[in-house]
């Protein structure tokens, strides 16, 4: 049974400031190439790791152009939602998003918090997925990375998650989850998205973890300039699998599509921001900047009922959705 996995396509109609090409045309060319690869390799299923779109309410014109491309795929597309696919980082808003619409129309199949069995010949694969939720990489939400329920008839289990999964904490400067944190998972293969740089296939205690990285380059960092977008080809036979990276030929070199002027400006702005942050912190102690962090921490510190926190986050998502319609 063969799978093709890609993630963080961030489909949008506008151009990121760092890009010199037509971003929409480029990402659609990549998706067409992914379709061609899937047919050439005899893939049975397409998997997407979240952030299909760059925002939950992309324009109708974008949908009109991309839907025929997705409909041309000859195999099912299974996906989880990322933080950019929903309002207010809240997956309960999914039915009111463009990604939710594609699921309703049967163009893609969202498997958020679901477990399905796929069968071919003598192989049965369990596929499951955890979407992005706010605070996914906080310790109290770490269970979303961990597959606990595995069907007895499953020869192999694949779990998708849209979060900051990393091999270790060496380069981490943000909330994240390490592979060692989730080794109790019953998944044979855990595939993540969200972290655009990705990380190579890592085997620990007979379990595999990988993130091929985003198929697009939105930021103008030097690492993105050098990175080559790719997808994964996964071949499962009973309880074993082989995984191969496939670099996208339609992804032009970073020098061709990323503006070096913007890169240098980005470095300058980052330095200025760091100096500004340091000056603010020197005047007092500010533990909270993000209002979502404030809500989650208050709920935890005051030991408020989970329903109160969820209601607050729901209302924030509604406000964000209303603002997007103005």
């Amino acid at each position: 049974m063969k799978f093709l996995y890609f993630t963080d396509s961030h489909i949008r109609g506008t151009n990121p400031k760092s890009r010199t090409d037509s971003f929409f045309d480029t990402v659609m060319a990549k998706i067409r190439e992914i379709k061609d690869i899937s047919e050439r390799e005899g893939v049975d299923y397409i998997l997407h790791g979240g952030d299909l779109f760059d925002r939950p309410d992309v324009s109708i014109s974008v949908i009109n152009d991309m839907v025929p491309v997705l409909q041309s795929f000859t195999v099912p597309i299974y996906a989880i939602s990322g933080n950019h696919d929903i309002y207010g980082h809240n997956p309960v808003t999914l039915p009111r998003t463009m990604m939710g619409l594609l699921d309703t129309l049967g163009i893609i199949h969202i498997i958020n918090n679901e477990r399905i069995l796929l069968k071919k010949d003598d192989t049965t694969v369990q596929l499951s997925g955890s979407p992005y939720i706010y605070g996914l990489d906080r310790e109290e939400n770490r269970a979303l990375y961990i597959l606990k329920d595995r069907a007895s008839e499953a020869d192999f289990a694949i779990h998708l998650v849209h979060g900051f999964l990393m091999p270790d904490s060496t380069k981490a400067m943000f909330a994240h989850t390490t592979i060692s944190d989730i080794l109790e998972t019953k998944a044979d293969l855990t595939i993540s998205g969200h972290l655009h740089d990705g990380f190579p296939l890592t085997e620990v205690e007979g379990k595999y973890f990988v993130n091929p990285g985003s198929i697009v380059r939105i930021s103008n960092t030097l690492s993105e300039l050098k990175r080559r977008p790719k997808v994964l080809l996964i071949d499962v036979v009973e309880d074993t699998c082989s995984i191969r990276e496939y670099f996208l030929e339609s992804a032009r070199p970073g020098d061709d599509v990323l503006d070096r002027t913007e890169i240098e400006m980005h470095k300058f702005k980052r330095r200025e921001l760091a100096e500004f942050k340091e000056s603010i912190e020197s005047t007092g102690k500010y533990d909270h900047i993000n209002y979502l962090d404030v809500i989650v921490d208050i709920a935890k510190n005051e030991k408020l009922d989970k329903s109160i926190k969820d209601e607050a986050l729901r209302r924030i998502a509604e406000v964000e959705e209303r603002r997007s319609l103005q």
Side-chain angles (χ1 to χ4, degrees):
M1 189 182 304
K2 293 185 178 182
F3 300 85
L4 186 152
Y5 174 87
F6 70 107
T7 189
D8 291 82
S9 44
H10 288 273
I11 298 170
R12 55 190 280 179
T14 57
N15 244 40
K17 291 182 180 180
S18 59
R19 302 285 300 214
T20 60
D21 60 342
S22 168
F23 181 83
F24 179 74
D25 290 343
T26 297
V27 69
M28 294 314 297
K30 290 175 181 176
I31 292 177
R32 291 188 186 95
E33 182 183 356
I34 288 170
K35 169 185 173 292
D36 293 340
I37 295 170
S38 69
E39 293 177 352
R40 187 166 61 247
E41 295 289 337
V43 166
D44 299 293
Y45 301 99
I46 305 293
L47 307 179
H48 192 285
D51 282 352
L52 177 65
F53 295 111
D54 196 55
R55 54 184 296 160
D57 57 346
V58 293
S59 68
I60 295 297
S61 61
V62 167
I63 295 296
N64 283 340
D65 288 340
M66 69 162 292
V67 162
V69 177
L70 294 181
Q71 288 179 319
S72 70
F73 278 71
T74 56
V75 296
I77 303 172
Y78 290 104
I80 55 175
S81 58
N83 50 304
H84 283 260
D85 296 314
I86 53 180
Y87 292 104
H89 292 185
N90 195 334
V92 301
T93 66
L94 193 60
R96 301 191 295 277
T97 68
M98 285 301 182
M99 187 180 192
L101 176 63
L102 295 186
D103 178 60
T104 299
L105 296 175
I107 297 170
I108 64 173
H109 308 283
I110 297 176
I111 58 167
N112 289 353
N113 303 313
E114 290 187 11
R115 184 187 71 174
I116 62 176
L117 292 177
L118 305 172
K119 299 181 180 182
K120 181 180 180 181
D121 300 329
D122 295 326
T123 299
T124 299
V125 173
Q126 177 177 303
L127 178 65
S128 57
S130 290
Y132 179 89
I133 66 166
Y134 185 75
L136 174 63
D137 290 288
R138 288 173 174 260
E139 187 175 354
E140 62 265 28
N141 293 320
R142 195 161 289 159
L144 294 174
Y145 280 97
I146 299 171
L147 177 65
K148 294 182 178 180
D149 299 319
R150 176 168 173 161
S152 59
E153 62 267 40
D155 299 305
F156 197 87
I158 299 175
H159 186 61
L160 309 183
V161 61
H162 191 86
F164 280 134
L165 181 65
M166 303 183 71
D168 54 53
S169 297
T170 304
K171 297 181 179 181
M173 300 179 66
F174 43 80
H176 64 284
T177 300
T178 65
I179 290 174
S180 61
D181 293 327
I182 61 170
L183 281 179
E184 65 185 274
T185 183
K186 294 183 180 179
D188 298 292
L189 173 62
T190 301
I191 319 178
S192 63
H194 200 34
L195 183 67
H196 283 205
D197 288 346
F199 64 85
L201 181 66
T202 304
E203 180 182 1
V204 181
E205 297 181 2
K207 300 170 184 176
Y208 296 93
F209 306 85
V210 66
N211 175 0
S214 170
I215 66 164
V216 298
R217 290 163 292 186
I218 294 178
S219 74
N220 50 17
T221 61
L222 290 175
S223 61
E224 284 293 83
L225 186 73
K226 300 175 183 178
R227 188 173 66 85
R228 297 176 61 194
K230 59 190 175 185
V231 301
L232 295 179
L233 291 169
I234 306 162
D235 191 1
V236 181
V237 179
E238 295 183 349
D239 60 351
T240 63
C241 81
S242 60
I243 300 175
R244 177 162 56 99
E245 296 178 342
Y246 194 106
F247 291 98
L248 296 176
E249 296 179 1
S250 56
R252 293 159 57 190
D255 287 334
D256 290 351
V257 297
L258 293 173
D259 187 347
R260 282 186 175 274
T261 303
E262 286 291 329
I263 291 174
E264 295 305 317
M265 187 178 299
H266 177 80
K267 290 166 63 178
F268 173 77
K269 288 180 179 178
R270 186 166 54 187
R271 184 172 65 251
E272 291 290 296
L273 180 60
E275 292 175 358
F276 175 73
K277 181 174 181 288
E278 183 178 350
S279 68
I280 291 294
E281 290 177 343
S282 67
T283 64
K285 184 176 182 181
Y286 298 89
D287 289 328
H288 303 297
I289 297 176
N290 190 310
Y291 59 87
L292 294 173
D293 283 332
V294 174
I295 290 173
V296 172
D297 282 345
I298 288 176
K300 181 178 181 180
N301 294 337
E302 300 297 329
K303 298 181 180 180
L304 297 179
D305 188 271
K306 181 178 181 296
S307 62
I308 297 176
K309 180 194 74 174
D310 292 344
E311 176 65 15
L313 295 177
R314 183 190 68 79
R315 294 190 183 190
I316 288 173
E318 286 184 351
V319 170
E320 183 175 309
E321 183 176 359
R322 286 199 299 271
R323 289 178 61 187
S324 71
L325 297 176
Q326 295 176 355

